[in-house]
Amino acid sequence: MSEKQGLAGGISLPQRQVSQSSSVLSDDAVPGGDPNTTSALLGERLQAWKHAVGYLEEYITATEKSQRAHSKEYEKILKTIANPLREGHHFDQSLGGIAGLFENMRVNTQGLANSHLETEKNIKGSVLPILARLHTEIKNKAKELSSGAAKGAKEVDKARNTTQKHIELLGQQTANFESTGGKMNSYEDPYVVRRQVLHRLNKQILEENNSRHDLLAVQNNFSNFENHVIEVIQQSLMAFNQFVGGQAQKSQTLYGDMLGAAQRVPLDFEWANFTVRNAERLIDPSEPDRKIDDARFPNENHKSTKPLIEGTLSRKSRNKLSMAGYSTSYYVITPSKFLHGFKDNDNFRTDPTPELSIYLPDAVIGAVNGDKFNIKGKDVSKGIGSKLSGSSEIAFKGHTAADAEKWSEVIRLAAGATGPAAASSGPSSPISPVSEKKNTSGPPGYSEQVTGSTSSAKPGPIQTQGITGGQTVASPASAIPGSAVKDLAPEKSGV
């Protein structure tokens, strides 16, 4: 039994190959983690502190009211802290922490059956405002974290979604490349889509790093903030103890014990234990920032994304009235048999969209004249220039005659290929120094045969006989010089 059963008539559908490493790379390029994880954890911790302070506020408020009702009111006070702390898992449950402090307060409150009304006004006017201000500070801190983290996480999610869509688009176009034999539109060229993925991945990583830096700064500030919270709690309990000190010795002893329990809490006790318990969820300050050079994504090294040749060429302006002459841009021949022209080879500053795209099998390729050669074809890019120019003859000039010959050979190979253009690992045929001595005083002309002489007095009109493009060629070897029969390896020119 064969691995894949064909359809009726023995025709098999093309299969898209996705390796195991591709899925891993996708996870690296677009992490699946929630960018809100750290901010949510810190926000929950602020809620825990807010509720802890709220517990203490309720306790002292009830104590202030209990001065009139004596022992029965103290039973109500005990009920305010009878329940476990909300988000209690944020606090260390061993003695010496905030959880131990509230347990100590429960025990001592049971003994406060007798209280004095004279302390009511002092507690209401001096102790409760301290905790109220602290409660407000915690709420403002929570709002600050929520607003900043939500904005950063939203930008990260947006950037990740955009990158993921283009990674999926790259997978579709590479599959189309395999199934159609490389016949596709210029904007569907996997090479172009891959560069667009890199552009969006760079923006995503910048957003991720900015969000990470913001959250790391907030995280590092939490220790100082919690020190302040514990200090204010200690201050409030100290004032509270001062006002109830005139009560009976027993009451004074019980409240002093509460104060002692609070003062025994080290300023970094809760935060130090919290960071140990949640080390896997908090940001590691020693972890380096992400770099795009280390990011990977599916199909980034697919053969359709590797250029046959790329580098800088000079192109003559198509505007006959222009005095600009030749201008240099970045050009590439892709396995999809497109000649793409870009402003430069920067993938990050702007979205790398071709300014010129010519499908070489439909173009007429002129012979090399010194360091110059011409291509006549239709610009199929989506730029404004393609709509205005249509099909026109474009004059190119290499850095040297050898450079122009090298480009011409690759272009003829791509134009004459019947399937996806490919390049072998073998070197290109050497060029004799004598053959490079060509007349470069005039514009490039077109020879009767591709391998013929280029020393005619002046270039004639575009000919289709003996020129690559515009017809079906059985073999690239029949339309190119003998030295260019071998497949060209991908190489950069003039970079």
Side-chain angles (χ1 to χ4, degrees):
M1 180 68 68
S2 61
E3 294 181 358
K4 296 291 182 180
Q5 293 293 339
L7 299 177
I11 300 176
S12 298
L13 290 175
Q15 300 293 326
R16 178 184 177 188
Q17 298 179 353
V18 180
S19 64
Q20 181 179 0
S21 61
S22 295
S23 61
V24 176
L25 295 178
S26 179
D27 293 340
D28 186 23
V30 183
D34 185 1
N36 288 312
T37 300
T38 300
S39 60
L41 177 66
L42 297 178
E44 187 179 62
R45 182 161 181 82
L46 285 176
Q47 282 291 101
W49 276 114
K50 185 180 73 172
H51 291 139
V53 173
Y55 265 90
L56 193 56
E57 283 184 286
E58 292 176 9
Y59 176 80
I60 297 181
T61 298
T63 302
E64 177 258 331
K65 294 180 179 179
S66 71
Q67 301 304 314
R68 295 181 180 179
H70 300 292
S71 60
K72 291 184 179 181
E73 291 297 329
Y74 275 98
E75 293 297 329
K76 296 180 180 180
I77 296 172
L78 181 59
K79 292 180 181 180
T80 64
I81 56 172
N83 296 325
L85 285 173
R86 299 177 185 177
E87 295 88 20
H89 61 279
H90 276 269
F91 301 101
D92 195 285
Q93 298 302 312
S94 62
L95 295 178
I98 296 300
L101 168 63
F102 279 93
E103 183 62 28
N104 178 274
M105 293 171 66
R106 294 186 188 99
V107 173
N108 289 326
T109 303
Q110 188 66 46
L112 292 175
N114 300 316
S115 62
H116 303 281
L117 297 178
E118 62 186 16
T119 61
E120 178 183 2
K121 292 183 179 180
N122 291 332
I123 294 175
K124 185 176 181 180
S126 300
V127 179
L128 290 178
I130 298 176
L131 296 176
R133 288 192 296 269
L134 177 60
H135 200 143
T136 302
E137 290 179 20
I138 297 175
K139 289 176 66 176
N140 292 337
K141 186 75 172 179
K143 290 180 180 179
E144 177 184 351
L145 174 64
S146 176
S147 61
K151 181 178 179 181
K154 183 177 180 181
E155 294 296 328
V156 170
D157 281 336
K158 182 179 178 181
R160 286 181 177 178
N161 291 335
T162 302
T163 303
Q164 185 62 38
K165 288 180 180 178
H166 275 73
I167 290 177
E168 294 172 359
L169 178 60
L170 178 59
Q172 295 173 5
Q173 301 307 344
T174 53
N176 290 341
F177 177 88
E178 298 288 351
S179 62
T180 61
K183 178 68 175 180
M184 56 179 57
N185 296 323
S186 63
Y187 59 88
E188 298 174 340
D189 192 338
Y191 173 86
V192 177
V193 178
R194 174 183 177 272
R195 292 185 63 175
Q196 293 173 346
V197 170
L198 290 173
H199 173 73
R200 286 155 180 82
L201 181 58
N202 179 68
K203 293 178 64 177
Q204 169 198 318
I205 291 177
L206 290 177
E207 294 293 344
E208 290 174 346
N209 289 338
N210 290 338
S211 178
R212 179 183 181 277
H213 292 162
D214 293 342
L215 289 176
L216 183 59
V218 173
Q219 176 182 310
N220 293 335
N221 181 258
F222 255 63
S223 178
N224 295 332
F225 181 76
E226 291 197 5
N227 291 349
H228 169 69
V229 171
I230 294 177
E231 286 177 346
V232 173
I233 291 176
Q234 293 173 350
Q235 293 173 5
S236 65
L237 288 177
M238 184 177 296
F240 182 66
N241 181 71
Q242 178 182 356
F243 293 130
V244 299
Q247 297 178 357
Q249 182 65 37
K250 183 178 180 179
S251 298
Q252 182 178 5
T253 302
L254 293 175
Y255 282 116
D257 188 62
M258 295 183 199
L259 173 61
Q263 291 179 333
R264 286 192 296 271
V265 178
L267 297 181
D268 61 345
F269 178 83
E270 290 291 348
W271 178 252
N273 288 279
F274 171 76
T275 55
V276 172
R277 294 193 306 270
N278 297 275
E280 71 284 354
R281 299 178 63 185
L282 293 171
I283 295 177
D284 184 3
S286 62
E287 182 179 349
D289 291 346
R290 295 189 69 195
K291 297 180 179 179
I292 192 170
D293 293 339
D294 301 330
R296 295 293 180 266
F297 52 89
N299 299 305
E300 66 169 328
N301 294 318
H302 190 272
K303 63 181 181 180
S304 63
T305 67
K306 301 301 181 182
L308 304 181
I309 187 172
E310 61 181 345
T312 56
L313 288 174
S314 298
R315 185 180 78 180
K316 190 173 183 180
S317 175
R318 289 179 285 185
N319 186 357
K320 297 181 179 180
L321 301 179
S322 174
M323 302 297 292
Y326 284 88
S327 60
T328 301
S329 298
Y330 195 82
Y331 294 91
V332 60
I333 308 297
T334 71
S336 301
K337 296 175 284 189
F338 280 100
L339 168 63
H340 293 300
F342 299 88
K343 183 177 181 181
D344 50 42
N345 64 337
D346 191 339
N347 293 327
F348 308 139
R349 186 173 65 253
T350 58
D351 194 357
T353 302
E355 298 177 346
L356 171 70
S357 293
I358 297 178
Y359 187 57
L360 295 176
D362 295 341
V364 179
I365 313 302
V368 178
N369 184 5
D371 59 352
K372 302 176 182 178
F373 60 93
N374 287 15
I375 298 178
K376 182 176 182 180
K378 180 176 177 57
D379 183 2
V380 294
S381 67
K382 291 187 174 182
I384 299 178
S386 65
K387 299 178 180 179
L388 298 177
S389 62
S391 180
S392 60
E393 181 179 358
I394 304 176
F396 292 96
K397 183 170 68 173
H399 297 279
T400 62
D403 189 37
E405 184 67 30
K406 179 170 54 177
W407 275 89
S408 179
E409 290 182 2
V410 176
I411 290 172
R412 288 198 297 271
L413 284 174
T418 57
S424 67
S425 60
S428 61
S429 301
I431 300 176
S432 172
V434 177
S435 65
E436 294 182 6
K437 296 180 180 180
K438 300 179 180 180
N439 181 17
T440 60
S441 60
Y446 298 87
S447 63
E448 293 294 333
Q449 300 292 336
V450 176
T451 58
S453 173
T454 60
S455 60
S456 59
K458 60 179 180 179
I462 294 295
Q463 299 182 5
T464 59
Q465 180 180 0
I467 298 178
T468 306
Q471 58 180 343
T472 302
V473 180
S475 171
S478 63
I480 61 175
S483 62
V485 173
K486 297 181 181 180
D487 293 333
L488 295 176
E491 54 184 314
K492 291 187 176 180
S493 172
V495 179

